[in-house]
CSV table of all heavy atoms in Angstrom, one decimal:
chain,number,residue,atom,x,y,z
X,27,SER,N,-28.0,20.6,-34.7
X,27,SER,CA,-28.1,19.1,-34.8
X,27,SER,C,-28.3,18.6,-33.4
X,27,SER,O,-29.1,17.7,-33.1
X,27,SER,CB,-27.0,18.4,-35.5
X,27,SER,OG,-27.1,17.1,-35.4
X,28,PHE,N,-27.4,19.0,-32.4
X,28,PHE,CA,-27.5,18.6,-31.1
X,28,PHE,C,-28.8,18.9,-30.4
X,28,PHE,O,-29.4,18.1,-29.7
X,28,PHE,CB,-26.3,19.2,-30.2
X,28,PHE,CG,-26.4,18.8,-28.8
X,28,PHE,CD1,-26.1,17.6,-28.4
X,28,PHE,CD2,-26.8,19.8,-27.9
X,28,PHE,CE1,-26.1,17.2,-27.0
X,28,PHE,CE2,-26.9,19.5,-26.5
X,28,PHE,CZ,-26.5,18.2,-26.1
X,29,TYR,N,-29.3,20.2,-30.6
X,29,TYR,CA,-30.5,20.5,-30.0
X,29,TYR,C,-31.8,19.8,-30.5
X,29,TYR,O,-32.7,19.4,-29.8
X,29,TYR,CB,-30.8,22.0,-30.0
X,29,TYR,CG,-29.8,22.8,-29.1
X,29,TYR,CD1,-29.1,23.9,-29.5
X,29,TYR,CD2,-29.8,22.4,-27.8
X,29,TYR,CE1,-28.3,24.6,-28.6
X,29,TYR,CE2,-28.9,23.1,-26.9
X,29,TYR,CZ,-28.2,24.2,-27.3
X,29,TYR,OH,-27.4,24.8,-26.5
X,30,ARG,N,-31.7,19.5,-31.8
X,30,ARG,CA,-32.8,18.6,-32.4
X,30,ARG,C,-32.7,17.2,-31.8
X,30,ARG,O,-33.8,16.7,-31.4
X,30,ARG,CB,-32.6,18.5,-33.9
X,30,ARG,CG,-33.0,19.7,-34.7
X,30,ARG,CD,-32.9,19.5,-36.2
X,30,ARG,NE,-33.2,20.7,-36.9
X,30,ARG,CZ,-32.9,20.8,-38.2
X,30,ARG,NH1,-32.2,19.9,-38.9
X,30,ARG,NH2,-33.2,21.9,-38.8
X,31,HIS,N,-31.6,16.7,-31.7
X,31,HIS,CA,-31.4,15.3,-31.1
X,31,HIS,C,-31.9,15.4,-29.7
X,31,HIS,O,-32.6,14.4,-29.2
X,31,HIS,CB,-29.9,14.9,-31.2
X,31,HIS,CG,-29.7,13.5,-30.8
X,31,HIS,ND1,-28.4,13.0,-30.7
X,31,HIS,CD2,-30.5,12.5,-30.6
X,31,HIS,CE1,-28.5,11.8,-30.3
X,31,HIS,NE2,-29.8,11.4,-30.2
X,32,LEU,N,-31.5,16.4,-28.9
X,32,LEU,CA,-31.9,16.6,-27.5
X,32,LEU,C,-33.4,16.6,-27.4
X,32,LEU,O,-34.1,16.1,-26.5
X,32,LEU,CB,-31.3,17.7,-26.9
X,32,LEU,CG,-31.4,17.9,-25.4
X,32,LEU,CD1,-30.8,16.7,-24.6
X,32,LEU,CD2,-30.8,19.2,-25.0
X,33,PHE,N,-34.1,17.3,-28.3
X,33,PHE,CA,-35.5,17.5,-28.3
X,33,PHE,C,-36.2,16.1,-28.5
X,33,PHE,O,-37.2,15.7,-27.8
X,33,PHE,CB,-36.0,18.5,-29.4
X,33,PHE,CG,-37.5,18.7,-29.5
X,33,PHE,CD1,-38.1,19.4,-28.5
X,33,PHE,CD2,-38.2,18.2,-30.5
X,33,PHE,CE1,-39.5,19.6,-28.5
X,33,PHE,CE2,-39.5,18.4,-30.6
X,33,PHE,CZ,-40.2,19.1,-29.6
X,34,VAL,N,-35.8,15.4,-29.5
X,34,VAL,CA,-36.3,14.1,-29.8
X,34,VAL,C,-36.1,13.1,-28.6
X,34,VAL,O,-36.9,12.4,-28.2
X,34,VAL,CB,-35.7,13.5,-31.1
X,34,VAL,CG1,-36.1,12.0,-31.3
X,34,VAL,CG2,-36.1,14.3,-32.3
X,35,TYR,N,-34.9,13.2,-28.0
X,35,TYR,CA,-34.5,12.4,-26.8
X,35,TYR,C,-35.5,12.8,-25.7
X,35,TYR,O,-36.0,11.8,-25.0
X,35,TYR,CB,-33.1,12.7,-26.4
X,35,TYR,CG,-32.7,12.1,-25.1
X,35,TYR,CD1,-32.4,10.7,-25.0
X,35,TYR,CD2,-32.6,12.9,-24.0
X,35,TYR,CE1,-32.0,10.2,-23.8
X,35,TYR,CE2,-32.2,12.3,-22.8
X,35,TYR,CZ,-31.9,11.0,-22.7
X,35,TYR,OH,-31.5,10.4,-21.5
X,36,ALA,N,-35.8,14.0,-25.4
X,36,ALA,CA,-36.7,14.4,-24.4
X,36,ALA,C,-38.1,13.9,-24.6
X,36,ALA,O,-38.7,13.3,-23.6
X,36,ALA,CB,-36.8,15.9,-24.2
X,37,ILE,N,-38.6,13.9,-25.8
X,37,ILE,CA,-39.9,13.4,-26.1
X,37,ILE,C,-39.9,11.8,-25.9
X,37,ILE,O,-40.8,11.3,-25.3
X,37,ILE,CB,-40.3,13.7,-27.5
X,37,ILE,CG1,-40.6,15.2,-27.6
X,37,ILE,CG2,-41.5,12.9,-28.0
X,37,ILE,CD1,-40.8,15.7,-29.0
X,38,ALA,N,-38.8,11.2,-26.3
X,38,ALA,CA,-38.8,9.7,-26.2
X,38,ALA,C,-38.7,9.3,-24.7
X,38,ALA,O,-39.3,8.4,-24.3
X,38,ALA,CB,-37.5,9.2,-26.9
X,39,MET,N,-37.9,10.1,-23.9
X,39,MET,CA,-37.9,9.8,-22.5
X,39,MET,C,-39.2,10.0,-21.8
X,39,MET,O,-39.6,9.2,-20.9
X,39,MET,CB,-36.8,10.8,-21.8
X,39,MET,CG,-35.4,10.4,-22.1
X,39,MET,SD,-35.0,8.7,-21.7
X,39,MET,CE,-35.2,8.7,-20.0
X,40,ILE,N,-39.9,11.1,-22.2
X,40,ILE,CA,-41.3,11.2,-21.6
X,40,ILE,C,-42.2,10.0,-21.9
X,40,ILE,O,-42.8,9.5,-21.0
X,40,ILE,CB,-41.9,12.6,-22.1
X,40,ILE,CG1,-41.2,13.7,-21.5
X,40,ILE,CG2,-43.4,12.6,-21.8
X,40,ILE,CD1,-41.5,15.1,-22.1
X,41,LEU,N,-42.2,9.6,-23.2
X,41,LEU,CA,-42.9,8.5,-23.6
X,41,LEU,C,-42.5,7.2,-22.9
X,41,LEU,O,-43.3,6.4,-22.4
X,41,LEU,CB,-42.9,8.3,-25.1
X,41,LEU,CG,-43.6,9.3,-25.9
X,41,LEU,CD1,-43.3,9.1,-27.4
X,41,LEU,CD2,-45.1,9.3,-25.6
X,42,PHE,N,-41.2,7.0,-22.7
X,42,PHE,CA,-40.7,5.9,-22.0
X,42,PHE,C,-41.1,5.8,-20.6
X,42,PHE,O,-41.5,4.8,-20.1
X,42,PHE,CB,-39.1,5.8,-22.1
X,42,PHE,CG,-38.5,4.7,-21.3
X,42,PHE,CD1,-38.6,3.4,-21.7
X,42,PHE,CD2,-37.9,5.1,-20.1
X,42,PHE,CE1,-38.0,2.5,-20.9
X,42,PHE,CE2,-37.3,4.1,-19.3
X,42,PHE,CZ,-37.3,2.7,-19.7
X,43,LEU,N,-41.0,7.0,-19.9
X,43,LEU,CA,-41.4,7.0,-18.5
X,43,LEU,C,-42.9,6.8,-18.3
X,43,LEU,O,-43.4,6.1,-17.4
X,43,LEU,CB,-41.0,8.3,-17.9
X,43,LEU,CG,-39.5,8.6,-17.7
X,43,LEU,CD1,-39.1,10.0,-17.3
X,43,LEU,CD2,-38.9,7.5,-16.8
Side-chain angles (χ1 to χ4, degrees):
S27 174
F28 174 75
Y29 286 131
R30 282 183 184 165
H31 189 191
L32 189 63
F33 180 72
V34 171
Y35 172 76
I37 291 172
M39 287 304 297
I40 290 169
L41 291 172
F42 173 73
L43 292 173

